[in-house]
Amino acid sequence: MRARPYHHGDLRAALLSLAEQTLRERGPAELSLRELAREAGVSPAAPSRHFKTKQALLDALALEGFQRLTTALDASLERAGEAFGDRLSGLARTYLDFAITNTALLDLMYGRKHDPDATAELVAATHRLKNLATDLIESGQRGGQVRPGPVERQAVPLMVALQGLTALALTGGFTQEQLDQGVDETIAFILRGYAP
Amino acid sequence: MRARPYHHGDLRAALLSLAEQTLRERGPAELSLRELAREAGVSPAAPSRHFKTKQALLDALALEGFQRLTTALDASLERAGEAFGDRLSGLARTYLDFAITNTALLDLMYGRKHDPDATAELVAATHRLKNLATDLIESGQRGGQVRPGPVERQAVPLMVALQGLTALALTGGFTQEQLDQGVDETIAFILRGYAP
DNA sequence: CTACATTGTTATCACCGCTTACATTCGAGT
DNA sequence: ACTCGAATGTAAGCGGTGATAACAATGTAG
């Protein structure tokens, strides 16, 4: 019977996975490198080979989150038809769904984002997200469902709505039903606001 | 020359004030009870007389934040005239201003809010905030500037917009000018959406 | 097969939040 | 004015944390 091998195999991935689980189940405050090491069955100093600091681990986790989110949003747009309303509604619901099922991760993502010394990769990831919104608005303008005007400005209400919906969903103390209604209401509201 | 007196005088207030300063300048992660005690010129265990745990300190800070915010919002409504647009615009700008000048504090406020074991006082404070929004919408309906419908639903887009605006303002990477334009745009957008 | 890079371990540091037992001061009731 | 309990502060110590440095085992390229 082989004892536990000296080398873990894929400690980096294991740490990220365990970290996300802990984040999800017990919140960011409870996340300890030493505990992750224990759970992974390695010594307390081992994680430092893969993540120089705790912050580096969190950054990697946030980056992974951004990747998963943009993937989901891309897929949603892929699924949707041509109609602007459908695309917008699908985007909003996908975003909201991600927010609800990955609350702590999303918090981490946005929390890290406005830290002055965030990774360049992280900043890039957020830009990609922003582009998704402006692209949608722009195509809506081409199709005539969105009033003309500078995209940079026109896209703001959409991003506001997305951020706001998730914020409410996460902190609001709403029932699931209220929430669904609120989403419907808000999407209708947005479309009305964008109408030419 | 008297040595430092055995009793601090108002340690509780001093701790809260120092804590807010630290929160503002160095973020929530850097906040340590021991350090606060050092800065207040008191032994490491002294704070525990006023705040049993670190979380209790943070809760007190968050509560203070809610009080200051609702005060500011009340004042804004007081200042504004009767016109629905003005009231809404004033409310939004006041909220946003608070968010920008008290970023970390607001984060703390909302972060604590959806924690299962939050103080009853905290929950009450957030409800007061929610009422402010529904009241505004309701009065808008009475005045005929807001389409009729259940207030509970109609108020959602407003709260969404407030939350979303602050979220964007804090994490967005916008210039001040872009932000001002975005606020204008969003407020116009909201009014259009609420129009009967 | 050897030399080097990678990955893990051990040991140690300084710091943290929290608790317990003890010291000082304040203030209310006589 | 005195006393005595409540409030407030101190000292010491526990277990936990993130980080680092020195050392050991393993993988791998030449």
Side-chain angles (χ1 to χ4, degrees), chain B residues 12-24 27-28 31-33 36 50-51 53-69 98 102 104-110 112 119 121-122 125:
Chain B
R12 187 191 150 94
L15 287 174
L16 279 176
S17 162
L18 286 170
E20 196 199 334
Q21 188 181 338
T22 304
L23 195 63
R24 184 184 304 278
L31 209 161
S32 132
L33 283 182
L36 289 180
H50 303 274
F51 305 101
T53 74
K54 186 180 185 178
Q55 198 55 250
L57 205 195
L58 294 179
D59 283 355
L61 215 48
L63 190 57
E64 195 187 280
F66 274 113
Q67 284 158 352
R68 277 180 10 210
L69 175 56
F98 182 89
N102 300 278
L105 183 56
L106 194 67
D107 274 356
L108 179 66
M109 289 156 59
Y110 281 106
R112 270 315 275 163
T119 311
E121 281 173 301
L122 266 180

Side-chain angles (χ1 to χ4, degrees), chain A residues 42-56:
Chain A
V42 295
S43 81
S48 75
R49 294 291 171 196
H50 303 274
F51 305 101
K52 199 146 197 220
T53 74
K54 186 180 185 177
Q55 198 55 249

